Amino acid sequence: MEAQRLPPPPAPAEPAPVESATSSSAPALALPGEKSVLGIAPVQETPVDATDVIKLMLQFCKENALLKTMSTLMDETQVTLNTVDSVEQFVADINGGRWDQVLHTVGTLRLPIEKLIDLYEQSATLIASIVLEMIEMREVDMARALLRQTGPMQALKHENSERYLRLEHLASRPAFDPIMVRVRPSGGPPLAVEVGVLPPSRLLALLSQALKWQKHTGQLHDGAYDLLRGAAAMPTVTHETFPTTLACLIRFGARSHPEVAAFSPDGQYLVSGSVDGFVEVWDYQTAQLRKDLQYQAQDQFMVHEDPVLATAFTRDGAILATGAQNGKIKVWRIQTGEVSRRSPPPPGSAIRSSPDPALITVVFLAAVPWGISACGGLSGPTGGVTCMQFSRDGSHLLSGSFDKTIRVHGLKSGKLLKEYKGHQSFVNCLTYTSDGNRIVSGGSDGTVRIWDARTTECLITFKPPVAAGAPTEAAVIGVQLMPRNPDQMVVCTRSPTVFIINTQGQVLRSFSSGKLQGGDFVGSCTSPRGEWLYCLAEDGKMYCFHMGTGKLESILTCHEKEGIGLVHHPHRNLIATYCADGTIKLWRPAD
């Protein structure tokens, strides 16, 4: 299956704003409230109050008799849900003296204490009157239990002891006075203003409506749906194996090729970053652009002014960060294609701020005049962003660049928080350790460095072994923690050998292409469970190693030209390779 990317529209006559495409790219996305250059307003996000979400959860608990859970949630959030099936029936039950129904309903409400006292006083008065009338049946304990075992009555006892003693005396009277019932005040109207009515099963109804809309717009196809991931259910791979067959092919234009590609963590999207600055979202099953994303359906794209070299997703897959050769990082909402906030333009340009305060306010690197890099004082594009990763909670973004520096950026503040310096050449790869306390990085200086994420101190520096006849310093181009053993990592060097090394720098195993010329690896990845190791070489071949046996099980010719990289799907036996020949190829096992 093959898809041809449409050529970009001609460049506009006037200079485009900061977020507009390059001369060979599509028009840039508009900020919320603005029109794009195509005259199409972007989709507006509807803000959701967190309190309303909690109320929906409370209603679900109430309808499913999860009263303890409901009470705990109200205590922790201080959010109450005072709803009844019918306000009129609730008032009628109070005025009619149907206290079994009233007290059962009140048990799920959080009413003002004074009104609860009035309500319980009325119920106690009525019960006491009934008990006194039935004194021969020995039912007087009912009224006393209500007086002595309920919270509002105990509060009444402390705040108005005279009123409480009068009720105690009433429950102990040997004779029945019917006037007491006739003169008791009605508690219905005062309580009616404290309660309301919600449509039943509101949470499930909203979820159902959302799923129907996604299906209507093409975002959801027939079949199972994973509600927690917010996407179609991914089949669980029960047996990992190496690919042998081309599943589909994505072809770029003659003047473009992908520099980076990544699957979203939920496995729904394949994102590519190109040499022409485009960031595109693909349906990897059809090799077509995702037209369920409205901005792409309208031929609008996420875009940089320079080649895109790095991408990173948050764990939920909702936020995408992209880094370019000019040193700029942009953070996007993948569903809307909106950049979180424009970087400040060069001096003399007008600044347009976003009117939507709900957007993430983040500016990583300022736009500055040519000759001064925002990444550390180097000139031109030498400060390009080469690699990125979000922190586990998505609050920080880690980046490495051509200027030998690792940085941590805060998404809330938009500020540069920390810098890690020590590499003597480009930083090519990095990752957080599983606990987030350390950072592992690899550079063109041939070293792997482990940093204290909090103090920025370099704790360990080591170099992978160099094969005989190889350069004295083979660039480290990939570090990846082993899926089932985070104390070990795959270290890929620009050589025919990849290593398994522990966090103390000890080489545990190595895998080699066995090819002295033209067999240097340009990238590596593991299968989701770590049973297979895949390496793409400069000769366009993919080498498939079984981690259990250490054997080279297969060599698959993927591209005729030099490969750039590869990435494994998070849930399937599917690998995407990309190359300077202007293609992304997706590979799967034979049926």
Side-chain angles (χ1 to χ4, degrees):
M1 186 179 299
E2 180 174 334
Q4 177 73 41
R5 190 172 74 158
L6 295 176
E14 298 181 358
V18 175
E19 287 295 325
S20 60
T22 58
S23 59
S24 62
S25 305
L29 296 171
L31 285 172
E34 297 179 338
K35 292 259 183 145
S36 71
V37 294
L38 293 180
I40 301 172
V43 178
Q44 295 287 342
E45 291 190 6
T46 302
V48 177
D49 191 337
T51 301
D52 291 338
V53 176
I54 296 173
K55 288 183 177 180
L56 290 174
M57 297 166 62
L58 291 173
Q59 184 195 35
F60 179 84
C61 292
K62 182 177 180 180
E63 291 177 340
N64 291 274
L66 304 174
L67 300 184
K68 289 183 179 180
T69 303
M70 179 181 178
S71 178
T72 301
L73 186 58
M74 287 193 292
D75 290 340
E76 291 185 352
T77 63
Q78 298 301 308
V79 176
T80 60
L81 181 72
N82 292 334
T83 61
V84 295
D85 294 336
S86 170
V87 176
E88 292 78 9
Q89 185 61 47
F90 180 57
V91 173
D93 287 342
I94 294 175
N95 293 334
R98 291 182 285 274
W99 297 107
D100 55 340
Q101 292 288 340
V102 172
L103 297 180
H104 175 75
T105 302
V106 169
T108 64
L109 306 178
R110 294 291 177 92
L111 299 174
I113 188 66
E114 289 299 325
K115 294 190 178 181
L116 275 178
I117 289 174
D118 290 338
L119 181 65
Y120 274 94
E121 181 181 1
Q122 292 179 57
S123 61
T125 300
L126 179 60
I127 292 174
S129 300
I130 295 173
V131 169
L132 290 173
E133 193 176 48
M134 302 174 65
I135 191 66
E136 294 181 357
M137 299 177 64
R138 295 289 194 182
E139 296 291 342
V140 71
D141 289 341
M142 292 177 59
R144 289 176 178 169
L146 187 62
L147 287 170
R148 299 169 184 175
Q149 297 178 14
T150 59
M153 288 296 98
Q154 293 305 305
L156 177 67
K157 182 177 181 181
H158 292 290
E159 296 178 7
N160 194 335
S161 58
E162 182 179 350
R163 188 177 179 188
Y164 177 84
L165 291 174
R166 187 168 66 251
L167 292 174
E168 281 276 11
H169 176 69
L170 176 66
S172 304
R173 286 176 63 95
F176 170 62
D177 186 354
I179 296 179
M180 293 182 181
V181 178
R182 290 196 300 268
V183 299
R184 73 183 159 84
S186 171
L191 283 176
V193 300
E194 300 293 338
V195 297
V197 178
L198 279 180
S201 303
R202 185 62 179 155
L203 177 60
L204 297 181
L206 287 173
L207 290 174
S208 177
Q209 292 171 8
L211 294 180
K212 289 179 180 178
W213 174 252
Q214 287 187 318
K215 190 171 184 180
H216 174 71
T217 56
Q219 301 179 49
L220 183 63
H221 305 288
D222 293 333
Y225 184 80
D226 189 330
L227 192 61
L228 294 179
R229 284 199 180 105
M234 283 285 126
T236 302
V237 176
T238 56
H239 175 65
E240 292 188 345
T241 185
F242 59 88
T244 58
T245 304
L246 180 64
C248 60
L249 167 67
I250 299 171
R251 189 180 298 279
F252 290 70
R255 298 181 180 180
S256 180
H257 67 263
E259 285 285 347
V260 64
F263 286 103
S264 59
D266 59 7
Q268 292 303 302
Y269 304 122
L270 173 63
V271 172
S272 66
S274 306
V275 71
D276 59 4
F278 275 93
V279 179
E280 293 161 302
V281 186
W282 301 92
D283 184 334
Y284 55 83
Q285 299 184 59
T286 64
Q288 301 292 328
L289 286 170
R290 292 290 296 257
K291 294 298 186 179
D292 55 311
L293 300 174
Q294 187 174 357
Y295 56 96
Q296 291 197 159
Q298 298 170 351
D299 292 328
Q300 295 178 310
F301 298 90
M302 299 177 283
V303 69
H304 279 263
E305 296 80 17
D306 274 53
V308 179
L309 305 181
T311 62
F313 276 101
T314 52
R315 285 169 57 85
D316 60 5
I319 301 296
L320 170 70
T322 55
Q325 185 172 293
N326 61 0
K328 290 184 181 178
I329 297 175
K330 298 181 183 180
V331 180
W332 315 83
R333 297 183 187 276
I334 197 166
Q335 279 294 324
T336 63
E338 292 173 341
V339 70
S340 299
R341 182 177 172 183
R342 292 180 185 270
S343 297
S349 300
I351 297 177
R352 296 185 296 172
S353 61
S354 169
D356 185 358
L359 293 177
I360 300 174
T361 55
V362 54
V363 179
F364 295 120
L365 304 175
V368 292
W370 181 261
I372 303 176
S373 171
C375 300
L378 300 178
S379 62
T382 55
V385 180
T386 58
C387 48
M388 295 186 297
Q389 186 181 35
F390 278 99
S391 61
R392 187 175 182 85
D393 62 1
S395 63
H396 302 94
L397 180 66
L398 188 67
S399 72
S401 66
F402 287 148
D403 69 351
K404 314 173 190 178
T405 305
I406 300 169
R407 295 176 174 81
V408 175
H409 314 273
L411 265 70
K412 290 184 179 179
S413 65
K415 296 180 180 180
L416 175 64
L417 302 181
K418 294 177 182 178
E419 288 188 334
Y420 305 77
K421 295 185 177 182
H423 278 287
Q424 301 304 306
S425 188
F426 305 154
V427 179
N428 296 322
C429 49
L430 48 73
T431 183
Y432 279 106
T433 57
S434 56
D435 58 9
N437 293 329
R438 296 185 179 185
I439 295 167
V440 183
S441 63
S444 292
D445 58 3
T447 65
V448 175
R449 297 174 185 263
I450 300 178
W451 312 78
D452 186 306
R454 184 177 62 85
T455 66
T456 73
E457 178 186 0
C458 183
L459 304 175
I460 301 174
T461 301
F462 59 87
K463 290 187 177 183
V466 179
T472 56
E473 291 184 354
V476 178
I477 56 177
V479 290
Q480 179 186 356
L481 300 182
M482 291 292 292
R484 294 188 172 181
N485 191 346
D487 291 329
Q488 299 177 9
M489 69 188 86
V490 178
V491 177
C492 183
T493 62
R494 188 63 188 246
S495 73
T497 307
V498 65
F499 305 92
I500 307 298
I501 303 178
N502 64 20
T503 52
Q504 285 73 46
Q506 299 173 323
V507 177
L508 305 178
R509 304 174 68 184
S510 64
F511 304 84
S512 177
S513 68
K515 192 173 181 180
L516 297 179
Q517 296 294 329
D520 287 356
F521 295 138
V522 297
S524 67
C525 67
T526 65
S527 59
R529 293 201 294 265
E531 297 176 8
W532 290 87
L533 172 64
Y534 303 102
C535 301
L536 185 66
E538 60 184 348
D539 59 4
K541 291 182 172 60
M542 180 166 58
Y543 295 79
C544 309
F545 300 95
H546 191 279
M547 295 289 279
T549 64
K551 293 183 179 180
L552 175 60
E553 297 289 349
S554 175
I555 301 176
L556 181 65
T557 299
C558 298
H559 302 275
E560 296 301 325
K561 292 186 177 181
E562 181 175 345
I564 295 178
L566 76 169
V567 61
H568 202 294
H569 191 278
H571 309 299
R572 297 182 175 183
N573 286 321
L574 185 69
I575 296 177
T577 61
Y578 45 100
C579 176
D581 62 5
T583 64
I584 296 179
K585 294 183 179 181
L586 291 111
W587 304 90
R588 61 174 175 80
D591 294 330

